[in-house]
Structure formats: structure tokens, C-alpha cells
Amino acid sequence: MISKRSFSPELYNSTDGESSAMLIRHGIVVDHQDEKKADILIVDGKIADVAPDISSYPAGTRIIDAEGLYVMPGGIDVHTHFNIDVGIARSSDDFYTGTRAAACGGTTMVVDHMGFGPKGCNLHHQLAVYKDYAKDTAVIDYSFHGVIQHINDEILSEMADMVEVEGISSFKLYLTYGYKLDDESVLRALTQLNKVHALTTVHPENDAAIALRRAQLLEEGKTAPKYHAESRPLECEAEAIARMINLAKLAGDAPLYIVHLSNGLGLDYVRLARQNKQPVWAETCPQYLLLDERCYEREDALKFILSPPLRPFEEREKLWQGLMDGSIDTVATDHCSFTYGEQKQRGKDNFSACPNGMPGVENRMPLLFSEGVMSGRISPSRFVELTSYMPAKLFGLYPQKGCLAQGADADLVLFDPKQQVTITHDLLHDNTDYTPYEDMNCLGWPMMTISRGQVVACNGEFMGKAGNGRFVRRKPFPHQ
């Protein structure tokens, strides 16, 4: 990376006895509504003022010249999997390396999807496990989505306490994998989560269809990575999306969030639900916007095994259209990293033995900025809406996060729209051994990331500290 613009990071973080104030001057300040030339004053980790020309500030204030830079709310990635045990492997990024990579990519908070716990465990069990994973390691703020492995009266009665006491206001259920829920359990979960002011998120794939196709392919000796995608066609995802939408309707218009949307047919079902005034939202990921099933013809195709799989090329443009017309609400990553040199090799002779997932938490913001904003597909404000504002609104973080209002946490990213960077894994800060975006060119790059008033990344260099991230209790989901 050749920097057209650089900062001296040691100048910007306060030390003992120094003022905790910071003034960001002359930047192009962007929120989800508009952009303007303005200064931002940060005091004690909070945004104290946003104005055209701030001339009054505490003695000892650190000053950052952001001329020509976009100054935006820090990214919020609401779909990561750090330190997750998927049975055949544990992901290579824990809450230190994962949040370190996030910070270096302009993200200032993650909401992690917790992995499954022991069979029969209650909702609080995994929350305690994951709080322990993150408490002394995370470098930026974090929260978790509850994970529902089974439904009975005890689990249903536990949901209110998770929302009201623990601050966990979203829960994930799966229609595939080992702890998949049947339709009765899904309907009971949706109904109760609606009552306790929680948002249901779902991994939607038709498990029965996938199992049948996978068994047929393996029986025919079709074990190469490309058959992973053939075993999970887009219709399996779209059918499950439609089914979840209808079950949410039966549950009293329960609010529903579709994770990692990968295809246009599923998006059409989301649009139809919205036309019928249902509270349904959709998330997509950079891999579905920028990669496609041609990756499975590569020699290193194992790198791209994830679920849902990469889709035909034409699905990419359908998703971009969803970003442009407002049908898709957020862009997250589904970061779930396994090493190519070792862990992914489990699937070299059988795609079904390969751990599913890819890294990406560090690349989300620059890729979407380059391919979205700098290509003219979306505005800077729409970029903020997709990466920060809507994640904060949907997941109980606004206005503490996701905006530049007075009193909000001073979580910011400074983007240089003129910075040109070719992504290579040696530039990144995760704990795996590859990036699926190797050699992709980005126009626009995060030059500085600020978490609660402290610089955590600067000029591609990590400046944060393990344990500085805080668990954030999220507010209940608002009733319609």
C-alpha cells in the first residue's frame, strides 16, 4: 500500500494526564442523511459538537486535519463468528484477532452470532461462554445475538430475561445444520420473541432438499468443491425465506431479519413481504456482491466454501440493485475464518467435510466504499446507512452508535477517497492465511479508526489494545 496521505498515530491517543479531547477538522462529515464540511469535537469518548468551524475546545486537545477525507460513523458489523466451534474445527479468529482486523478495516463494533453450546443448554449458557471469550480480548465494542438450539417452555420463558436484563435483543435460529428448528418450533419462537420485543434473525436454507442433493452428489462421486454449491442451490435459500416470512406473519407480524442474502429470488420474496407491510429486513455480504460461483473452478476453490455458497454471476447485480433501491438494509460479513493451508484441507477429497466460512471483517468497509460509493452505485450517505446506521437502528444500538449526534459514542472512521490499495493478505490483521479478495483493487481506504475517542487503527497499523472493547447492552426491538 502506497499512502497518498498519512498520519502520525502517536500524536492522537492521549496518555495519562493529557486531555481526552480530540478535534477532527475540515472533513466531509457524512451521516445516513447527508454530507457537509464540518468539524467534530470529541470529549471523554463522546461526540461533543459537530459544527462548520469549532474554535473553542479544551486545552491540550489533539487536532486531526481531515481535509479531503470523509468522516463517518464507524462501521457496525452485525454478523461475525469469532472463536466459533463448528464441530469439525474452531475458527482461526478469536475476539482479539477478529476485532483487531475489524478495527483496521474501519469497523468499531461487532454483534457476534454465538455458536451452539451443549445439547439441551439454555439461552444464558452460551452468553456466559461468549462474554468470557471477549471480555479481556476484544479491542472494539461488541454484543451478541442469542442462539436458539431448541424450543420448550423453559426456553420461551427465558427470552424476556435475556432481552430485559442481559440486553440481548436479537436471536438467531437455523433452518439447517445440527440444531435446525422445525416449523412448529420456529412459529413458537417467533411468537414469543415478538412478545418480548426481540428481533428474530434466521439462517434460511431448506435442510431436507440440501441433504438429499448432497447425498446424491456424493453417491455419484461428485466430491469437488463446486458440488458444494450444487448441493445448496439458491431455490433452497429462497424457499426458506418465503416460509419464514409466512410463519412470521402467522406469529402476529413478528419482526424478521434475513441474514446473508445471496440471491435475487429471495430478495423478491422480501420485497413482496414489504409491499404487504410486513416488518422484514435483509442483510447481504461483500462475497455475494463481488464473488460468484466461478471461484469453484479455481485450484484453491476450498477457500470459497461457505453457506449459502457463492451464486451465479447474474445474482450479483440483483443484489446491487437491492442496495440501490433500498430493498436490502445492511451489509455485514458473516466472517468465519478457517485456514486454507490446514483446516480447509479437510474437504480436499469431499466438499462436505470442509468447514464452512470465509474471512472478510477487515475488507467489508473498503470494498463497499470502492465498489459502491466510488463506482457511483450508492451515495456516501447510503454507505453509512448500510454499514452503521441501520445496523444500529435494528439491533438496539442507536443513538449510542451509528450516528454523529451529540452524546453518541465517538466511533468514527476517516476514509480517503483518493487512496488506491490492492488487497493482499499481508496487509491484513486477521489470524487466517488468505483473503478471498486477494489482488482486488480498492479506490478509497480507511485511514483512521476511532473507538470511543481513541485511535485504534491508523495508516493500516493497529493501535488498539486487547480488552478495551466493552460489552454493550442493546435496547429492546421497538414494537410496530
Side-chain angles (χ1 to χ4, degrees), residues 74-389:
I76 302 171
D77 191 342
V78 293
H79 194 158
T80 62
H81 294 281
F82 297 148
N83 209 37
I84 187 172
D85 184 349
V86 297
I88 59 174
R90 182 177 292 274
S91 62
S92 56
D93 278 306
D94 60 17
F95 278 86
Y96 174 67
T97 63
T99 57
R100 177 182 66 186
C104 291
T107 290
T108 52
M109 179 159 182
V110 298
V111 185
D112 194 80
H113 282 284
M114 299 187 291
F116 297 131
K119 184 176 180 179
C121 70
N122 65 19
L123 298 177
H124 284 77
H125 178 278
Q126 284 302 87
L127 178 60
V129 168
Y130 268 72
K131 280 187 170 181
D132 189 58
Y133 286 161
K135 67 178 181 179
D136 295 322
T137 58
V139 306
I140 55 173
D141 291 351
Y142 59 92
S143 184
F144 309 107
H145 303 281
V147 59
I148 299 174
Q149 299 179 204
H150 65 282
I151 288 294
N152 57 29
D153 290 344
E154 289 74 22
I155 294 292
L156 294 172
S157 64
E158 195 183 357
M159 290 174 175
D161 185 80
M162 288 283 285
V163 175
E164 297 164 10
V165 178
E166 302 290 353
I168 302 297
S169 55
S170 55
F171 294 77
K172 188 176 188 179
L173 49 87
Y174 291 80
L175 302 188
T176 189
Y177 300 138
Y179 286 105
K180 61 184 180 293
L181 300 185
D182 61 23
D183 289 351
E184 178 188 349
S185 295
V186 168
L187 186 55
R188 294 180 73 190
L190 282 163
T191 302
Q192 182 65 7
L193 290 172
N194 192 17
K195 288 180 181 177
V196 301
H197 298 207
L199 177 62
T200 300
T201 80
V202 62
H203 177 124
E205 288 185 290
N206 186 305
D207 183 76
I210 291 168
L212 178 61
R213 292 177 67 90
R214 181 172 58 237
Q216 290 171 338
L217 289 164
L218 294 177
E219 186 176 349
E220 294 168 4
K222 296 177 177 177
T223 61
K226 68 178 181 179
Y227 296 111
H228 168 74
E230 290 193 19
S231 74
R232 311 176 92 96
L234 66 85
E235 291 81 6
C236 289
E237 180 186 2
E239 182 281 329
I241 289 171
R243 179 160 36 107
M244 281 299 304
I245 287 170
N246 286 315
L247 290 172
K249 184 70 174 178
L250 293 173
D253 270 346
L256 178 66
Y257 181 92
I258 308 298
V259 306
H260 51 45
L261 177 68
S262 72
N263 71 88
L265 180 57
L267 179 57
D268 286 341
Y269 288 134
V270 171
R271 289 189 176 114
L272 182 61
R274 287 181 164 179
Q275 290 172 15
N276 293 326
K277 310 300 183 185
Q278 262 189 265
V280 179
W281 295 269
E283 158 198 298
T284 194
C285 309
Q287 55 266 36
Y288 304 119
L289 296 166
L290 300 173
L291 305 174
D292 59 69
E293 65 180 5
R294 291 173 296 180
C295 293
Y296 297 122
E297 301 296 336
R298 293 172 40 160
E299 184 178 352
D300 58 354
L302 286 170
K303 292 177 179 178
F304 304 94
I305 288 186
L306 76 164
S307 298
L310 302 178
R311 300 302 188 191
F313 176 82
E314 55 268 23
E315 299 303 315
R316 289 166 44 172
E317 195 53 41
K318 295 174 184 177
L319 296 176
W320 276 110
Q321 185 58 46
L323 293 185
M324 292 186 285
D325 68 21
S327 302
I328 294 176
D329 303 280
T330 66
V331 175
T333 62
D334 193 13
H335 179 102
C336 189
S337 58
F338 300 97
T339 59
Y340 173 66
E342 182 178 352
Q343 292 172 305
K344 287 280 189 178
Q345 294 304 314
R346 290 179 57 97
K348 63 184 176 64
D349 299 318
N350 181 344
F351 69 82
S352 68
C354 184
N356 281 218
M358 294 197 313
V361 72
E362 189 165 353
N363 298 134
R364 173 184 71 129
M365 298 282 279
L367 284 171
L368 187 62
F369 188 88
S370 179
E371 297 297 320
V373 176
M374 299 308 294
S375 73
R377 287 183 171 115
I378 59 174
S379 68
S381 289
R382 177 66 172 145
F383 173 85
V384 169
E385 186 175 32
L386 289 164
T387 61
S388 188
Y389 172 75

Side-chain angles (χ1 to χ4, degrees), residues 5 7 27-28 30 66-75 104-107 362-370 373-374 383-384 387 412-419 442-449:
R5 175 75 173 273
F7 296 98
I28 306 165
V30 185
E67 184 74 40
L69 305 183
Y70 286 109
V71 183
M72 303 172 167
C104 291
T107 290
E362 189 165 353
N363 298 134
R364 173 184 71 129
M365 298 282 279
L367 284 171
L368 187 62
F369 188 88
S370 179
V373 176
M374 299 308 294
F383 173 85
V384 169
T387 61
L412 303 165
V413 59
L414 279 59
F415 256 91
D416 183 352
K418 296 181 179 180
Q419 182 88 350
C442 284
L443 178 58
W445 197 259
M447 300 302 298
M448 182 180 289
T449 308

